[in-house]
Amino acid sequence: MASLVLLNGAKTHTGFLGIVCLSASKASYSTDVPAWYRPLKSTNQATFKKGPGGRSSFNGVVATVFGCSGFLGRYVVNKLGKVGSQVICPYRADSSDVQHLKVMGDLGQILFHPYYLRDEESIRKAMKYSNVVINLVGRDWETKNFSFKDVHVDGARRLARIARESGVEKFIHLSALNASEHPTPCYYKDGSKFLQSKYHGENAVREEFPNATIIRPSDMYGQEDRFLTYYAHFWRRFIRLVPLWQNGNKTIKQPVFVGDVAQGILNAIKDPDAVGQIIQAVGPRRYLLRELVDWFFRVMRKDENWGYIRYDARFDPTFKLKVALTEAIQLSHPIGNLHHERVEREYVTDVVEKSVPTLEDLGVQLTFMEDQVPWELRPFRAGLYYDSAIGEFQKPAPPQVLA
């Protein structure tokens, strides 16, 4: 049922359905595509972009963010809400755990839906109206209810399969930088089961959703992270002694700011070239682990004068005993995030492949640790409530950067 429609003074054939995009000179988002024509993927007016852009507009993206209540999740939801996306936040447990996400978007743009990772019907409902699905679900340690395989492999496969069956346009999956089928053991002889499960999770997602975008972040730092706070916690050290495998001389880290990873996910949604790609989310600089840990304690004003000493954990069997004891007495969350998986991954060197795109290829301007970390570690300073005079404390020397 073809017809002719006048489009900016020119006749255009609308095709079988008679659908055409009428572009006006004052239309919002007119710079996104050629000024004379914007093809429509749907005739549903609820999917049309509305407003001049920003948090009080709608940019056409309806995203379901699984794992929205986690560390990275709240940054991603905030980034999406800031540009006018509608966000569905699936949650488990109590709804009050995600209520803080409500203010990250305009009225009616942040929606919540209960779900269970093994319940396919609740997952389908959560992504029923979405054109983007983001999987941030993950666990740093195994529990009696969920193993690494349950979460990182079976759960990821289930989400990817249902997203494909639901007609979702883009699926973004969070993996890990050093994911490997056979991780090289460092501190424990069995290696990291976490990194192994992340590797198999990538393969599972690819099998179910071949055009999925996979993000591989290194250690992320930010507010309430599990990297800076891990070293700052008193349970990680023996009073003022800090054990590190091989004294931190054999491990290279390239940490990334969590806000940069969230921005990379947002850019991957908008970038058509990111479809089906693997993105390495790493920071701009590489450091030896000993340089980072020494610098963290200098920033916290807990240097050698305070009593800080770093030593080789290989010659201290009591550290492994402490880790085992912590896991034995934990009810749900390990004290100070100290468990054998975290200790093992702590000493895995970050390997960045030159042939694989990074966040910079997505247009992300990376944050330097030297600019951000002092702010993040401020609550952990020695003598936190001491009112120091201007210039009383010298600025701590930054860590040495590897070439």
Side-chain angles (χ1 to χ4, degrees), residues 29 46-50 57-63 83-86 131-132 169:
Y29 303 94
T47 64
F48 291 0
K49 296 180 179 180
K50 302 176 181 67
S57 303
F58 177 58
N59 65 357
V61 174
V62 181
V83 296
S85 304
Q86 189 173 81
N131 49 30
V132 175
E169 298 174 13

Side-chain angles (χ1 to χ4, degrees), residues 71-72 140 174-179 194-195 215-221 225-227 252-258 260-261 279-287 292 342 345 348-352 359 366 369:
F71 170 54
L72 175 60
D140 283 346
L174 191 78
S175 183
L177 180 63
N178 300 303
F194 173 92
L195 296 177
I215 309 291
R216 292 177 177 173
S218 58
D219 291 293
M220 293 182 288
Y221 63 91
D225 63 8
R226 291 175 182 168
F227 181 65
I252 300 175
K253 290 294 183 180
Q254 197 168 348
V256 61
F257 180 52
V258 62
D260 294 341
V261 180
I279 309 296
Q280 298 176 124
V282 295
R285 293 172 178 171
R286 296 171 67 82
Y287 311 86
L292 283 177
R342 181 66 185 90
R345 287 191 290 119
V348 177
T349 292
D350 290 340
V351 178
V352 180
L359 292 177
L366 298 178
M369 293 192 73

